[in-house]
Amino acid sequence: GAVVSQHPSRVICKSGTSVKIECRSLDFQATTMFWYRQFPKKSLMLMATSNEGSKATYEQGVEKDKFLINHASLTLSTLTVTSAHPEDSSFYICSAILQGSRTEAFFGQGTRLTVV
Amino acid sequence: SQKIEQNSEALNIQEGKTATLTCNYTNYSPAYLQWYRQDPGRGPVFLLLIRENEKEKRKERLKVTFDTTLKQSLFHITASQPADSATYLCALPHSGSARQLTFGSGTQLTVLP
């Protein structure tokens, strides 16, 4: 199956700093990637849809200036959490869907962000 | 708006038994439904997709049913093993965009040896 690599898997940062999370499709091109946030024992909450070469589409309630998404190539999307605060601590996951008839999503390993 | 419910937050069963997980949805008629497995601290992994015109689908020890009248999918793991312990998520295509997925909150399955 297709592989999506997410980096870093864990990051601890101080309040007020910014953190960048990378999501790469290793063996396929992904014109669209998705960024999710997951709280403990909760479902994945879609934050935004990342489109290659254009602006991301954010879900209602997600601050686009807080969570910057860049999808500069067909294999890389990045999520930058700017001016992080402790309430931004969470598990962030990216995914990509293969083109064509298959509709399964391939997920990255996730990034555990802790803001202290 | 579409709503997905996975009835059990947690399910414990004995090794060798069949685990049955439930996914119900409302306000929607999806073209397909998917099941994923998620281990702690990891991203979900795709397991099975079942389309609206399919009643049942199997993959090794996994079986999924899809009842569009009841708006329900059942996910079965037969001859369960401790290694099957994980959280299982059902997912539907978003009503507004087929490329987005909406996930249920998951059922945490524990298979006891």
Side-chain angles (χ1 to χ4, degrees), chain A residues 2 7 11 15 33 39 48 51 54 57 60 73 75 81 85 94 107:
Chain A
H7 178 80
V11 59
S15 280
M33 290 185 177
F39 294 99
N51 304 296
S54 64
T57 304
Q60 192 172 8
S73 78
T75 58
V81 183
H85 289 97
C94 69
F107 286 84

Side-chain angles (χ1 to χ4, degrees), chain A residues 20-109:
Chain A
K20 180 185 282 188
I21 303 170
E22 291 187 349
C23 181
R24 292 180 185 275
S25 56
L26 296 187
D27 51 0
F28 67 101
Q29 293 183 335
T31 55
T32 303
M33 290 185 177
F34 302 94
W35 286 96
Y36 295 86
R37 182 173 180 175
Q38 188 176 33
F39 294 99
K41 299 195 175 185
K42 297 293 184 184
S43 186
L44 286 77
M45 182 189 77
L46 181 65
M47 298 175 64
T49 302
S50 172
N51 304 296
E52 187 268 335
S54 64
K55 291 183 179 179
T57 304
Y58 290 82
E59 295 300 301
Q60 192 172 8
V62 178
E63 300 176 58
K64 61 181 181 181
D65 295 329
K66 173 76 171 174
F67 299 99
L68 299 178
I69 291 174
N70 186 282
H71 195 155
S73 78
L74 287 171
T75 58
L76 174 64
S77 175
T78 60
L79 168 68
T80 302
V81 183
T82 62
S83 187
H85 289 97
E87 57 265 29
D88 298 325
S89 299
S90 191
F91 192 56
Y92 293 87
I93 313 175
C94 69
S95 79
I97 295 180
L98 280 173
Q99 303 280 1
S101 60
R102 300 192 72 185
T103 51
E104 65 190 81
F106 294 93
F107 286 84
Q109 305 94 315

Side-chain angles (χ1 to χ4, degrees), chain B residues 80-95:
Chain B
S80 59
Q81 304 165 1
D84 296 326
S85 299
T87 296
Y88 293 86
L89 306 164
C90 66
L92 299 175
H94 194 280
S95 58

